Amino acid sequence: MNEQSPRKLTINILRYDPHVKGDKPHVDTFEIEEAPGMTLFIVLNDIREHHDASLKFDFVCRAGICGSCGMLINGRPGLACSTLTSKLPDVINLAPLPVFELIGDLSVYNGKWMRGMNERLETWIHQKEKEMRDINRIEEPMDPDLSEEIYELDRCIECGCCVAGCGTLQMNENFVGAVGLNKIARYRLDPRDEREDADYYELIGDEDGVFGCMTLLGCEDVCPKKLPLQSKIAYLRRQMVKIGLTKDIHKCDCLEHDEEY
Amino acid sequence: MSKLHHSRIPAYLDVTQSVTGLLLALFIVAHIIFEASILLGPGAMEKMTLFFEGYYLFGERHPIIITILGIIISALFLVHAALAIRKIPSTWHQYRTFRKHMKRFRHDDTTLWMVQVVTGFAMFYLGSVHIYMMMANPSKIGPYLSAQRVVEGWMWPLYLALLFCVVLHAFIGLYRLALKWGWFEGSNYRQSRRIMKRIMRAAILIYIVIGLASLGTYVSIGLDAGQKRIEKAQQ
């Protein structure tokens, strides 16, 4: 049987460690022999094991679940662990995700950004009555279809790919991004969250929120979990416009979340 | 009660930008088709002109209707442009950041947005000249007078550039507008988006072909009329 010789991959990695004094951004090139079923995660481990032990990159689950290994793969945000080299050309350029604080090489501090976003958008269930927040209380049953819809959006792994693929965020660093808007859509669907649309308007009813989205669709196209981001942003936009154009948002009876949470 | 302070103005601005954009895009869709009546002959275009001047309604020509229409379009154009400016890169740093992102990302829809920015910016000049001329000289619209303006008034280069700008801007805008508000999502919104994108591309192609054919016809009529005038003068 005539076996084809394995492909030689050229891996260009943008290297820079802001914590090393005098270090300057540069590109390091590595030659790797492709193996069947090889992912970029395997490539990076190979490089660290056999070529350069100082290469920094993040990974935990190796299965597209934790969202740690998000990076720019030939300019497009994606997860290293779920990207097969067979789908890529011979030359692969890797760079850290933009927007996020750089830890070093391909490793970024997306957790810090996500925490800030979650705190800002208060991405947790809000309930008025204290007894409703008793963790020992048995929850009300939820309609299975609604539950499925909520947990479809809850599949977000906060990998940061949508943030890095968003042109709006590149220009406006205060924009909450598709990840933030998806979270709001998820809580709005949840009957356990007693916030009203006016409360959500308070969080996302401006140019840093849903009205800042320029519908560039980058978020939608790079989401590794294939979440319906654009559809949910459109849904939120419609809801927020209804509130903005009809309700007196300054007099609405909104949740008291300042002191309670 | 928590301190609510958000303004409703962002909601108004977003809706107004979309509504003005939609009206302008629909106007363009109709305008190019009406303009293309020249392809059916000068008589058809003449009838179209008479229709818009209210001849069939009032029994006489009222070119002022064109001026009023021009004022309405100008108002929509100015409001839309003023609102759209909020979104475009306003500093060199922002522009450079976005451009770098666009080049690195090579993402179709992100690039389409930049096409909208560039064509929108070009229309500030190209569109303004055209609208002002129509408002100022509404009685000089017709198969022969328009052709004369295109050829002897040297308007064809402006109309050629305007055609590409306006068609790209309008149809990309309509496509993005539908996605922005979640129109025509259906049960499979990804599939709907693919279909809308195909429709957008087809519409751009069809409208550019129609526009070029119309412009070519005006040029041909204008050249012909010019030649006849020269021959008459020589006799």
Side-chain angles (χ1 to χ4, degrees), chain A residues 6 8 43 45 102 126 220:
Chain A
K8 284 266 183 226
V43 169
N45 276 291
L102 182 69
H126 287 56
E220 170 83 20

Side-chain angles (χ1 to χ4, degrees), chain A residues 91-107:
Chain A
V91 179
I92 300 167
N93 301 315
L94 300 178
L97 290 180
V99 179
F100 303 109
E101 185 182 319
L102 182 69
I103 294 171
D105 299 335
L106 300 172
S107 173

Side-chain angles (χ1 to χ4, degrees), chain A residues 76 165 167 215-218 221, chain B residues 98-99 101-119 168 172 175-176 197 200:
Chain A
R76 287 178 81 88
T215 322
L216 303 175
L217 305 154
D221 294 342
Chain B
F98 190 86
R99 181 131 182 104
H101 167 73
M102 192 180 80
K103 281 179 83 175
R104 180 180 61 211
F105 196 15
R106 293 196 304 272
H107 176 250
D108 207 24
D109 288 84
T110 303
T111 310
L112 283 180
W113 182 77
M114 194 44 117
V115 172
Q116 273 211 295
V117 171
V118 172
T119 52
L168 284 169
I172 296 171
Y175 161 75
R176 293 185 54 243
K197 202 165 200 176
M200 174 196 74

Side-chain angles (χ1 to χ4, degrees), chain B residues 138-209:
Chain B
S139 56
K140 289 187 179 170
I141 299 172
Y144 300 105
L145 291 171
S146 294
Q148 191 182 2
R149 183 174 62 248
V150 166
V151 176
E152 289 171 29
W154 271 89
M155 288 300 284
W156 67 266
L158 187 132
Y159 285 158
L160 187 63
L162 184 59
L163 173 69
F164 280 93
C165 287
V166 91
V167 169
L168 284 169
H169 196 90
F171 286 108
I172 296 171
L174 285 175
Y175 161 75
R176 293 185 54 243
L177 200 58
L179 289 159
K180 179 175 176 173
W181 294 98
W183 299 336
F184 317 114
E185 268 188 2
S187 54
N188 185 345
Y189 76 99
R190 286 184 210 274
Q191 176 70 8
S192 306
R193 181 180 160 198
R194 275 194 290 274
I195 293 168
M196 281 192 275
K197 202 165 200 176
R198 266 186 233 137
I199 293 171
M200 174 196 74
R201 286 185 178 140
I204 288 173
L205 187 68
I206 291 166
Y207 267 74
I208 285 188
V209 169

Side-chain angles (χ1 to χ4, degrees), chain A residues 13-26:
Chain A
I13 302 178
L14 181 61
R15 309 285 304 269
Y16 175 58
D17 191 336
H19 307 292
V20 174
K21 213 175 174 184
D23 193 18
K24 286 188 176 156
H26 61 282

Side-chain angles (χ1 to χ4, degrees), chain A residues 165 171 201-202 206-207 211 214 216-217 220-221 226 228 231 237-238 244 247-249 252 254, chain B residues 1 4-8 14 86-87 94 104-105 107 109 113 176 180-181 185 189-190 193:
Chain A
M171 291 196 293
Y201 190 95
E202 185 67 12
D206 61 10
E207 298 283 324
F211 301 127
M214 303 193 304
L216 303 175
L217 305 154
E220 170 83 20
D221 294 342
K226 302 283 174 227
S231 174
R237 193 189 297 273
R238 293 195 301 268
K247 261 199 175 181
D248 186 351
I249 52 176
C252 74
C254 300
Chain B
M1 187 168 155
L4 288 170
H5 57 271
H6 256 37
S7 165
R8 63 177 64 206
D14 209 39
R86 292 174 304 140
K87 306 278 181 180
Q94 277 189 338
R104 180 180 61 211
F105 196 15
H107 176 250
D109 288 84
W113 182 77
R176 293 185 54 243
K180 179 175 176 173
W181 294 98
E185 268 188 2
Y189 76 99
R190 286 184 210 274
R193 181 180 160 198

